[in-house]
Amino acid sequence: MTNVEQQKSSYLFVPASRLDRVAKAVDSGADNVIIDLEDAVIGQDKTALYQALIHFFDVWDWQAFDKIWLRINGVSHPDFAGDVALVEQLAIYGVVLPKVRHADDVLTLKGQTNKPVIAMIECAKGVLNVGHIAKSGVYALSYGCLDLATSLGMALHSPSAKLLFEHVKMELLLHSSANELAPPIETIYADIGDDVGFEQNVQTWQDFGFGGQLLIHPKQVAIIKQMDRDKDKLAFAKKVVAHYQETRQAVFAIDGQMVDMPVIRWASDYVAQAKK
């Protein structure tokens, strides 16, 4: 895998204490699964979790699905060394490193594992050092909206926080492109009951040129996939309309599919609705 390889779009979190949900996450259609050893297991017995993870992955069918990442603790956390030692025992796809402040955080992890690293920007230092972090051998950049807003004393859903996140997204996008990283990954959308807001959020990061999003519920995977299907449908409809306007043929083929007047009328209506 190279850094310029295009990412898949969905990254679904599963708590390390609920490994029974990994198969369910895969069945949901998630392109990537992130097992969370950080926020989701605070206060739990890490030794027991480590042993459970080792056993789980010993029997996991890696040929059926291998895009499994592990979010460990940040380099300043007491559990960092133990988490990294665990990483070396698992055949996971890559590591999600939270609370990255500067390039040395990534280099510390990269010095102990050769797995791809997604760097999470979650504080002011991280935002100001994005340019250096992007040069540290990281696979992709992301950010944590909750930690970032809290660390700066900002209300998460305020206009001020929205302005901050747009600035962060721009920084991640520019530095990712300049350093030939995979496209950045959008942060979580915390309100799992707000489907309309989530769809708007997905449209925003797609417009920004991001390559995917961190997700906290399987239904968010389904929404993204439905939106992708709608985009494919619109692209097909536009091809139909363009070909008909150019040739005035009543029967032709687009992408190997036969098109006649009913399809042409549907495509014209679909494109017109999309413009509203």
Side-chain angles (χ1 to χ4, degrees):
M1 181 181 62
T2 64
N3 278 358
V4 295
E5 178 184 334
Q6 184 70 22
Q7 292 170 301
K8 296 288 188 174
S9 63
S10 52
Y11 291 76
L12 181 59
F13 278 110
V14 173
S17 57
R18 292 301 307 270
L19 294 176
D20 57 301
R21 293 182 182 176
V22 175
K24 295 177 181 178
V26 173
D27 290 342
S28 76
D31 300 302
N32 301 264
V33 174
I34 302 175
I35 296 177
D36 189 8
L37 259 179
E38 192 209 15
D39 290 343
V41 295
I42 293 175
Q44 299 190 36
D45 183 352
K46 293 298 286 285
T47 301
L49 289 173
Y50 290 169
Q51 292 303 315
L53 280 163
I54 292 170
H55 173 72
F56 180 83
F57 287 124
D58 278 345
V59 299
W60 180 256
D61 185 354
W62 290 102
Q63 290 188 330
F65 187 88
D66 68 344
K67 300 298 190 299
I68 299 180
W69 302 71
L70 186 69
R71 178 163 77 168
I72 64 175
N73 285 277
V75 297
S76 63
H77 194 278
D79 290 338
F80 174 74
D83 289 356
V84 173
L86 174 69
V87 166
E88 291 304 289
Q89 300 180 62
L90 304 179
I92 55 173
Y93 192 78
V95 182
V96 178
L97 181 64
K99 298 176 176 58
V100 176
R101 301 158 299 175
H102 38 68
D104 285 347
D105 290 351
V106 176
L107 294 173
T108 296
L109 175 60
K110 293 288 288 183
Q112 300 177 64
T113 177
N114 61 356
K115 298 184 184 298
V117 176
I118 296 174
M120 296 286 297
I121 309 301
E122 302 184 82
C123 66
K125 279 187 178 180
V127 174
L128 295 177
N129 289 324
V130 166
H132 297 294
I133 295 168
K135 299 178 186 296
S136 64
V138 71
Y139 169 66
L141 301 170
S142 186
Y143 69 105
C145 60
L146 301 177
D147 284 278
L148 183 56
T150 301
S151 70
L152 295 171
M154 305 181 76
L156 179 61
H157 299 294
S158 66
S160 299
K162 180 181 179 182
L163 183 63
L164 170 69
F165 298 150
E166 288 180 350
H167 169 77
V168 171
K169 281 199 277 276
M170 190 65 71
E171 288 287 307
L172 298 187
L173 178 67
L174 293 175
H175 287 292
S176 294
S177 179
N179 290 281
E180 299 185 335
L181 306 181
I185 304 166
E186 171 67 333
T187 188
I188 66 164
Y189 190 83
D191 188 351
I192 60 175
D194 182 11
D195 292 352
V196 173
F198 178 70
E199 290 179 5
Q200 293 172 344
N201 177 257
V202 172
Q203 189 62 60
T204 297
W205 65 252
Q206 289 180 343
D207 291 344
F208 253 99
F210 274 42
Q213 181 166 11
L214 304 174
L215 307 175
I216 57 174
H217 196 280
K219 80 172 190 174
Q220 294 178 327
V221 176
I223 291 173
I224 289 179
K225 288 190 175 297
Q226 181 59 51
M227 292 177 69
D228 287 343
R229 284 194 291 271
D230 291 345
K231 280 189 171 184
D232 292 341
K233 189 184 297 185
L234 179 58
F236 174 77
K238 287 181 176 179
K239 289 181 182 180
V240 170
V241 171
H243 186 86
Y244 178 70
Q245 289 177 342
E246 180 181 348
T247 68
R248 291 298 170 179
Q249 294 176 342
V251 180
F252 52 89
I254 295 292
D255 295 340
Q257 180 174 328
M258 191 194 84
V259 175
D260 56 9
M261 284 309 299
V263 177
I264 293 169
R265 286 193 289 271
W266 163 82
S268 298
D269 291 342
Y270 197 84
V271 171
Q273 287 295 324
K275 293 179 179 178
K276 293 182 178 180

